[in-house]
Amino acid sequence: MLAKMNKYRWQYVMILPALVLLFLFNYIPMLGIQIAFKDFAIGSSIWGGHWVGMDNFSFVHDPQFWKVVRNTLTISVLKFVFGFPLPILLAIMINEVNHSGFKRFVQSVSYLPHFFSWIVVAYILQSFLTLDGGLANDLITKFGGDPIFFLGSTEWFRPMIVSSSLWKEVGWNTILYLAAITTIDPQLYEAAKVEGAGKLARIRYITLPGILPTITIVLILTIPSLITVGMDQIYPLMNPANQAVADVLDTYVLRSGLQQGYFGMATAVGLISSLISLILVVTTNSISKKINDEGLW
C-alpha cells in the first residue's frame, strides 16, 4: 500500500486541492442540515435554537408546494426528453462531416453559447422577445399578426426555457460523445465499408455501441437533475405574470428561506430534494449495471 502511494504520490498531490475544495464546500456545509429540524432564526448559530422534530416538513401539506413540484418535474422532463438525445445526434452528425474546416466551424459555433452566463442569456431573450421593440414581435407584426407577450405568457414560458437550454448546452455536451467516438477503432468502419454497410448501418452497429458506455454514464449523472431544473436560468425570467408555471423547487426554497425567513422549511425542502437525487442516481446506476453492465461504481 505504501509503495503504491509512493509511486503515485505526484498524482495525489495534483488531486489534493480538488479534495480540499470538495471537503470545504460540499461536506462541511452538510452540518447545516440540522437547521431542518430546528427553530432557526437569522443571527443565531446553527448550533443554537431548540429542536422541533419534523415540524419544518409541514410543507408537504401545502398545495402550493405540490404545484411547485409539478412545475419542476414538467420542465425537467421536457429538458431531459429533448436535451439528452440531441447532443448524441449532433456529435454523430459532426463526426460524419468530412470537411475538417466546416467541422471545426460547427463545433466552435455550437460550443460558444455555453460560455454565456444565464444572466446574459436572459438579457438576450428579453431583448429578443420583449413586447415593444423585440425582434420576434416586430417580425410577427410585419406579417400581420398580433404581438405576443412571451415573457409574461404561461403558455410560452416552458418552450422558452427548454429551447434556450438546448441552444446554450447542446453543443457543449457533444464534447464527451465526440471524444468517445474518437476511441472507436477506425478499422471497424473500414471493414464495414468493405462489407457494403452504408452510413446509417455503420452508425447503428459501430458508432452507437461504441459510445454506449459514455451515454450510460451521462444518463446516470443526468437523472438526479430531474428535480433541480436550475434557478440561475429560471429566476431571471420569472415574473408575477408567469409565476404559475415558472415557480420551481429552487425558486421556492429561495423565496421561503431568504425572502420570507423560513430557513428551517427551506432547509427541509433542500434536504428532501438531495435525498431524492441520491435515490435516483443509485437506482439508475443499479438498473444500468443490470442491463448493460455499465455504471459509475
Side-chain angles (χ1 to χ4, degrees), residues 134-290:
L135 178 60
N137 277 312
D138 285 347
L139 292 175
I140 291 174
T141 53
K142 284 182 179 180
F143 285 97
D146 296 324
I148 300 174
F149 187 23
F150 291 101
L151 299 174
S153 171
T154 55
E155 292 81 12
W156 284 98
F157 182 79
R158 288 165 180 166
M160 179 175 61
I161 290 296
V162 174
S163 59
S164 61
S165 177
L166 294 178
W167 173 76
K168 186 175 184 297
E169 300 297 344
V170 164
W172 179 259
N173 292 336
T174 61
I175 294 177
L176 288 175
Y177 301 114
L178 286 171
I181 290 174
T182 60
T183 64
I184 300 175
D185 189 351
Q187 293 182 1
L188 294 176
Y189 292 102
E190 296 298 330
K193 287 182 182 180
V194 172
E195 295 295 329
K199 281 191 175 182
L200 291 179
R202 295 196 296 271
I203 292 172
R204 178 180 178 183
Y205 295 106
I206 300 177
T207 305
L208 287 177
I211 64 175
L212 183 60
T214 302
I215 294 175
T216 301
I217 299 301
V218 174
L219 175 63
I220 295 172
L221 295 174
T222 302
I223 288 296
S225 65
L226 289 179
I227 59 173
T228 53
V229 294
M231 183 187 68
D232 49 350
Q233 178 190 11
I234 292 179
Y235 191 70
L237 297 172
M238 189 173 71
N239 55 60
N242 60 29
Q243 187 171 343
V245 296
D247 200 13
V248 294
L249 280 173
D250 292 333
T251 57
Y252 182 77
V253 169
L254 174 66
R255 189 173 64 257
S256 300
L258 295 182
Q259 296 180 359
Q260 299 178 359
Y262 299 124
F263 299 102
M265 188 188 73
T267 305
V269 175
L271 176 59
I272 293 296
S273 300
S274 299
L275 290 176
I276 294 175
S277 296
L278 176 62
I279 293 171
L280 287 174
V281 71
V282 172
T283 303
T284 307
N285 187 76
S286 300
I287 294 174
S288 175
K289 287 187 71 68
K290 290 181 179 179

Side-chain angles (χ1 to χ4, degrees), residues 24-56:
L24 290 177
F25 294 101
N26 291 80
Y27 285 95
I28 290 182
M30 290 178 67
L31 296 173
I33 291 175
Q34 60 184 298
I35 296 176
F37 306 96
K38 286 185 173 183
D39 183 14
F40 178 80
I42 190 66
S44 63
S45 169
I46 63 172
W47 307 105
H50 63 276
W51 295 91
V52 295
M54 303 297 290
D55 289 354
N56 288 325

Side-chain angles (χ1 to χ4, degrees), residues 90 93-95 97-113 171-172 174 178:
L90 179 60
M93 293 174 63
I94 292 176
N95 183 65
V97 174
N98 294 323
H99 193 283
S100 59
F102 181 71
K103 180 185 292 189
R104 288 194 296 269
F105 173 76
V106 172
Q107 287 179 286
S108 300
V109 171
S110 62
Y111 295 166
L112 184 61
W172 179 259
T174 61
L178 286 171

